[in-house]
Amino acid sequence: MNKCRSVARRMQHIQPFYVMDLLAQARDLEAQGRSIIHMEIGEPDFVTPAPIIEAGQNALRAGYTHYTPALGLPALRQKIADAYYIRYGVSVDPLRVLMTPGASGALQLVMSVLINPGDAVLMADPGYPCNRHFVRLVEGEPISVPVGSETAYQLNADLVAAAWTPQTRAVLVASPSNPTGTLLSVQALYDIHQVVQEKGGVLIVDEIYQGLVYDGECCSALSIADDIFVINSFSKYYGMTGWRLGWVVAPPEYVEPMDRLAQNIFLAAVTLSQHAALEAFSAEVAVILEERRQEYMRRRNYLLPALQSLGFDIPVVPGGAFYLYARSTQLTQDSFQFAQLLLDKAGVAVTPGRDFGRHRPEQHIRFAYTTSLKNLAEGVERIRCFIGD
Ligand SMILES: Cc1ncc(COP(=O)(O)O)c(C=O)c1O
């Protein structure tokens, strides 16, 4: 009791990831010799491409162990800006590219410079759970807008307009999205941006799964306007989760305050990771990343119909990321309990909807295809036996 009194009030709103409990249980079971198929993990199973690791090793050997400038290595910021031009034909001033400790650091920085206490930020529910906590940390109000298959589990211009209040300051979307893997088209982003602009707010687009796209156009919100905050990271497409390196492309007038804040709260992103990431744009790495993208696509193409044949409902084919968000009501009315039993009885770990918001979480399960096709097939067979098909 006394201990709790010393914890700040804002901590009341910070919830744990339920899947972490499941993951810990899965690891315990593995330690006891049980075989577990992991479909709960939201990070690539591939290790970082070898040329990037080598570049990191070389950087250490060369003694690059000091701080970089708060906004990152100029050469890396330039490479990222160049990549936007090469891939999407968008010219970005490298001075607007700010390196951060993961997309997480970018989200924290963006919320800190934008949100005053009481300001509301609109976001899709289901969505990436940390987003509401980033808003809470700066004493803002995360407003979860329920979304379903009719809008491909994404916000659209009408939903944004309807949810807008005088307190609304910003809208945060992700394309491709976690947990649903669905995309926003350039047109949809454009329409949302129009509404946000008319209302005098700010649009933030999380493009962390950019590159992991299997159908439809791969685009960047930067092609729409300069006043959008675009967040990205080396974690997912580049397979560098543990290196803790991301970036944000900020509207020009926000660069100076973000620099000031980054100097204070992070000092700089990890130096070793920035030197390694310089290699992430090489032709050699591009080949590796394309092979991996195709492997993810094969996995998606296998897992989607396999889960449907078991009775999971996946009404929208997810065009990207490495997730399938399935409605599980034909099999259970309580996805949390189902996930727990599935782990205990069948040795398959999945993430129940509860981690992603309050909109029908008990009806949904997220499957991550961050494991081999062989493991996915074994997982599907185990689920089939578990549900007695
Ligand atoms: C949508 C989304 N945004 C941001 C993050 C944070 O990523 P990182 O801090 O590793 O770059 C994640 C991680 O799962 C995510 O799914």
Side-chain angles (χ1 to χ4, degrees), residues 3 70 85 87 117 126 183 188 253 261:
K3 246 190 193 167
Y85 188 72
R87 293 175 191 167
L183 310 178
E253 67 275 23
L261 188 60

Side-chain angles (χ1 to χ4, degrees), residues 114-197:
L114 276 182
I115 303 306
N116 282 312
D119 282 352
V121 180
L122 306 182
M123 56 189 76
D125 180 344
Y128 178 55
C130 302
N131 288 336
R132 55 180 192 273
H133 299 144
F134 290 124
V135 177
R136 287 277 184 212
L137 263 184
V138 293
E139 327 248 301
E141 274 297 313
I143 306 292
S144 299
V145 180
V147 292
S149 56
E150 16 6 292
T151 64
Y153 302 101
Q154 290 280 4
L155 293 179
N156 63 21
D158 291 342
L159 289 170
V160 168
W164 202 277
T165 69
Q167 281 69 47
T168 309
R169 170 84 176 114
V171 178
L172 171 57
V173 296
S175 177
S177 128
N178 177 8
T180 66
T182 54
L183 310 178
L184 279 163
S185 66
V186 181
Q187 184 62 49
L189 272 170
Y190 178 87
D191 294 343
I192 294 174
H193 178 250
Q194 285 284 104
V195 173
V196 173
Q197 234 186 2

Side-chain angles (χ1 to χ4, degrees), residues 42 101-104 107 128 174 178 206 208-209 233 235-236 241 244 323:
S104 309
L107 283 158
Y128 178 55
N178 177 8
D206 182 344
I208 187 171
Y209 293 96
S233 169
S235 286
K236 311 290 174 158
T241 42
R244 309 309 305 131
Y323 307 116

